[in-house]
Amino acid sequence: MTSGIRFDHVSVAYGGTTVLDTLDLTVEPGEVMALLGPSGSGKTTALRAVAGFVRPVSGRVFIGDRDVTDLPPHRRGIGMVVQQYALFPHLRVEDNVAFGLKAQKAPKAQIPGRVAEALEMTGMAAYAKRYPRELSGGQQQRVAIARALAIRPKVLLLDEPLSALDAQLRSGMLAELARLHRELPDVSILYVTHDQVEALTLADRIAVMDKARLQDCGTPQDLYRRPRTEFTASFVGNANLLPVTVAAAGPDVVTFAGQDLKVASGEALPGATATLCVRPHLVGLGEGPNALRGQVAEVQWRGATHRLYVDVDGHRVKADLRELRLPPALGEEVTVHFAPEDAVLLAAGVTDG
């Protein structure tokens, strides 16, 4: 069976409430696709539809070129890792990893070698004889991943796999998952998360979900640098979203707070209302192009950076600046600026793809 996942107009409903609405999405063979969105956006439902744990009310699910919509989970050839590990506490690590192989009735002679291979791949070979209670949270998650990999799946489903870990462990596991992806170039991975850092770090592409629908899809760089919707701009990274009016001169001039700003050309029509997206780290302090004058409303120290909130005609503009030796005082008048090429014009009313 080839890898890859395809959702063909997939909808899922519970008791008349639609929780996944007409999802069309393809995960290419060997690709890591992150499903990113807030709670209730439909991302976990989409993953469960691939796993076979929920039945679509319409549409079809394909793994590779095979329609698996009507197949039970154990016949889909998938590996799955959930946030709470789901290890058997009475089984040693090696027996937990062997569980899926035994369930698939793999030849007994092959099981020890496959278990050893999966444990080696996840850095857990030295812990084969331990019980889950003797492992840290990060180690337990590695065992769960080893169990999923032992069956040599074509598709790996990861449902918030790092959410139960602390920040330091999460960072280490992100690096391990990135390494595993490099070692398993033929495995398609569907990764559900609400954490934008995880999505930006791991994914080849990100599918942004909200209100049961796919809102946007693209590479992390495209979604961050050139978002198409306000929701994408605010959920993938942090953004200044400023209400503007497109000048009659054309889409490369907009009006905000009573002054004209130059921006990269957009698709909005002259005279139309739109939203200007500027990432906070691209906003500088002092004079420059597209200068905006206002009062400092808040200063946050964030270690390597300061975040300034500047009130410009009733709108708060965020600027993330390299740590300042003498940050401005609250109420002080300052000027912030941004380059035209760093601004993205979002047409009003664009909400999905």
Side-chain angles (χ1 to χ4, degrees):
M1 184 181 67
T2 58
S3 64
I5 304 166
R6 181 161 63 91
F7 298 88
D8 182 10
H9 291 79
V10 173
S11 294
V12 176
Y14 298 131
T17 300
T18 299
V19 293
L20 186 65
D21 190 1
T22 323
L23 178 61
D24 275 310
L25 184 67
T26 298
V27 184
E28 299 295 343
E31 182 179 36
V32 178
M33 174 73 78
L35 296 182
L36 178 67
S39 297
S41 60
K43 57 188 188 298
T44 294
T45 300
L47 180 139
R48 290 171 62 83
V50 178
F53 299 149
V54 297
R55 169 80 185 194
V57 294
S58 62
R60 312 299 294 176
V61 178
F62 294 82
I63 294 178
D65 54 4
R66 184 170 64 150
D67 185 340
V68 299
T69 313
D70 299 320
L71 292 180
H74 68 274
R75 291 186 55 198
R76 298 193 179 200
I78 58 172
M80 186 168 180
V81 180
V82 297
Q83 56 185 318
Q84 295 301 330
Y85 321 139
L87 300 179
F88 298 106
H90 64 289
L91 296 181
R92 297 180 189 273
V93 164
E94 59 187 1
D95 296 319
N96 266 284
V97 175
F99 183 83
L101 291 167
K102 292 177 180 177
Q104 289 189 345
K105 295 182 170 53
K108 287 185 178 180
Q110 293 182 10
I111 292 176
R114 298 269 287 272
V115 168
E117 177 186 52
L119 289 174
E120 185 68 32
M121 190 175 296
T122 54
M124 291 299 294
Y127 300 87
K129 301 297 182 181
R130 294 195 185 184
Y131 289 96
R133 63 178 178 273
E134 299 172 313
L135 304 176
S136 69
Q139 290 170 335
Q140 290 183 52
Q141 193 60 293
R142 288 169 186 254
V143 175
I145 294 171
R147 181 175 58 189
L149 295 177
I151 64 171
R152 295 178 180 171
K154 291 294 185 182
V155 167
L156 181 61
L157 307 179
L158 301 174
D159 186 9
E160 304 269 11
L162 309 184
S163 62
L165 305 179
D166 61 38
Q168 187 172 0
L169 280 175
R170 189 179 300 121
S171 177
M173 282 301 300
L174 276 174
E176 287 299 313
L177 288 172
R179 178 186 60 79
L180 279 173
H181 179 222
R182 292 192 296 270
E183 294 183 7
L184 301 167
D186 297 328
V187 176
S188 299
I189 299 176
L190 191 62
Y191 189 102
V192 166
T193 183
H194 63 271
D195 187 307
Q196 57 183 273
V197 174
E198 292 179 17
L200 291 170
T201 300
L202 281 176
D204 297 309
R205 286 191 298 151
I206 299 173
V208 182
M209 306 283 294
D210 188 42
K211 298 177 182 176
R213 294 183 63 86
L214 177 66
Q215 300 294 328
D216 213 338
C217 186
T219 67
Q221 294 83 358
D222 286 344
L223 294 183
Y224 187 83
R225 294 172 182 164
R226 297 290 167 189
R228 295 191 308 115
T229 71
E230 290 188 28
F231 183 81
T232 300
S234 61
F235 206 83
V236 181
N238 204 285
N240 290 297
L241 298 174
L242 309 177
V244 298
T245 302
V246 181
D252 57 347
V253 178
V254 299
T255 301
F256 169 71
Q259 68 181 86
D260 288 344
L261 303 173
K262 291 186 176 181
V263 300
S265 60
E267 298 179 359
L269 297 174
T273 58
T275 299
L276 193 66
C277 170
V278 185
R279 299 295 183 184
H281 74 279
L282 298 174
V283 178
L285 184 62
E287 296 295 336
N290 288 338
L292 299 170
R293 192 156 185 82
Q295 291 185 321
V296 176
E298 188 177 349
V299 178
Q300 295 178 352
W301 179 67
R302 301 189 170 194
T305 63
H306 275 96
R307 170 167 287 185
L308 267 58
Y309 291 83
V310 181
D311 187 290
V312 179
D313 195 29
H315 300 279
R316 281 197 168 190
V317 177
K318 295 172 285 191
D320 287 342
L321 308 165
R322 186 175 296 179
E323 187 179 13
L324 302 170
R325 291 186 181 276
L326 292 173
L330 296 182
E332 182 178 339
E333 281 208 356
V334 297
T335 299
V336 294
H337 67 273
F338 58 89
E341 59 269 24
D342 291 333
V344 180
L345 192 62
L346 308 176
V350 177
T351 58
D352 63 28

